[in-house]
Amino acid sequence: SSMAGLRVCSVLVTGANRGIGLGLVRQFLGMPSPPAWVFAACRDPKGQRAQELQNLASKQPNLVIIPLEVTDPASIKAAAARVGEHLAGSGLNLLINNAGITKLNSLDTETLENMTRIYTTNTVGPLLLGQAFLPLLNKAAQGSPGSALSCSKAAIINMSSYGGSIASPSGWDLMQIVSYRCSKAALNMLTKCQSLGYREHGILCAALHPGWVQTDMGGSIGQTPTVTVDASVRGMLNVLSSLAEKDTGTFLDWQGKVVPW
């Protein structure tokens, strides 16, 4: 498999109870040499919406479910502490900021409350997670041989969207969801800032567009998405396995193509 180049000892995925997050967890667990630790973070691990994750965890000793509300700084700190305890002195190789929300509001119906909530989840959450997990990512980078950046060493991957591309003309026809698109454009800038700020720590940072995927969110805009979760996730893991120094701070899609800012 072309994912063979991706050798991570530990990975944390946010929003891991369904959709792309759950797909990523499944693929990591199914790798020929899976990570020693797969941390699956979600809001309500005991709830109905995390049932599939619970079923997986009961069969997979290397899967640890972490309660995490990405809009709550205390929850983020607690999650980082819990992950640190499990890792017991080794670092975290890969942080995948996948948790995200959307709401179908137009230019006319957008509100302060709605825009703030979506920005807090989709943009501020990944910023705070980067801060909280920096010491563990740092530790992974220091413990990894060689200086070249890679996802096997230490990386932050932010799940973005084509909808956040300011340069792309076709996004508007597909989704006039203002707050979501603004939050993803801001997430792209955050990715750029993280790539510049964390380079000296040996941490690669990139934004990924997963494709228009058949998930609850993907289907919420009324048409049928074109990409399955499985195809998207396999594609993204291939992309992660090939990311190198030159790719830090870039915005790529699930097939490895550059998405315009």
Side-chain angles (χ1 to χ4, degrees):
S1 122
S2 40
M3 294 180 223
L6 191 59
R7 296 200 170 272
V8 294
C9 295
S10 57
V11 55
L12 175 98
V13 181
T14 70
N17 60 308
R18 57 197 184 125
I20 290 166
L22 183 61
L24 283 164
V25 168
R26 284 191 196 285
Q27 290 283 349
F28 276 116
L29 292 170
M31 279 180 163
S33 46
W37 295 103
V38 176
F39 298 102
C42 66
R43 254 186 300 208
D44 182 16
K46 303 256 186 299
Q48 197 52 52
R49 283 160 75 165
Q51 196 53 58
E52 272 181 89
L53 199 53
Q54 290 291 352
N55 297 348
L56 265 182
S58 66
K59 301 194 269 291
Q60 304 270 1
N62 56 335
L63 173 59
V64 180
I65 304 177
I66 303 282
L68 173 66
E69 171 51 75
V70 300
T71 62
D72 176 8
S75 175
I76 291 172
K77 286 198 176 75
R82 193 175 286 211
V83 168
E85 279 164 29
H86 282 284
L87 289 172
S90 61
L92 179 71
N93 297 110
L94 192 52
L95 167 63
I96 302 182
N97 285 313
N98 165 72
I101 56 171
T102 188
K103 203 164 164 46
L104 294 181
N105 275 3
S106 68
L107 268 176
D108 302 335
T109 56
E110 204 51 86
T111 62
L112 170 66
E113 180 193 32
N114 186 56
M115 190 140 187
T116 305
R117 192 168 74 91
I118 287 174
Y119 189 85
T120 303
T121 301
N122 294 0
T123 313
V124 184
L127 168 83
L128 297 179
L129 279 148
Q131 291 174 349
F133 283 93
L134 182 61
L136 290 170
L137 290 160
N138 233 334
K139 200 173 275 187
Q142 285 163 1
S144 165
S147 61
L149 299 185
S150 83
C151 286
S152 300
K153 180 178 183 164
I156 298 173
I157 302 299
N158 293 324
M159 204 60 69
S160 186
S161 167
Y162 189 63
S165 163
I166 293 172
S168 149
S170 61
W172 186 246
D173 304 327
L174 187 61
M175 42 182 179
Q176 298 177 18
I177 36 183
V178 176
S179 55
Y180 179 78
R181 296 190 65 177
C182 291
S183 74
K184 292 301 188 181
L187 179 65
N188 289 346
M189 177 53 95
L190 173 67
T191 307
K192 195 73 184 175
C193 293
Q194 287 174 327
S195 75
L196 296 167
Y198 295 159
R199 186 182 218 132
E200 61 184 296
H201 296 274
I203 301 166
L204 184 149
C205 303
L208 280 190
H209 165 57
W212 186 24
V213 184
Q214 293 165 11
T215 61
D216 293 349
M217 188 193 282
S220 70
I221 57 176
Q223 294 149 299
T224 305
T226 43
V227 185
T228 65
V229 168
D230 201 50
S232 167
V233 167
R234 280 175 191 277
M236 288 192 288
L237 290 184
N238 283 338
V239 173
L240 295 190
S241 70
S242 67
L243 291 182
E245 194 101 24
K246 66 176 172 35
D247 302 303
T248 196
T250 58
F251 182 19
L252 302 168
D253 74 7
W254 61 290
Q255 293 170 310
K257 298 198 212 48
V258 173
V259 183
W261 295 112

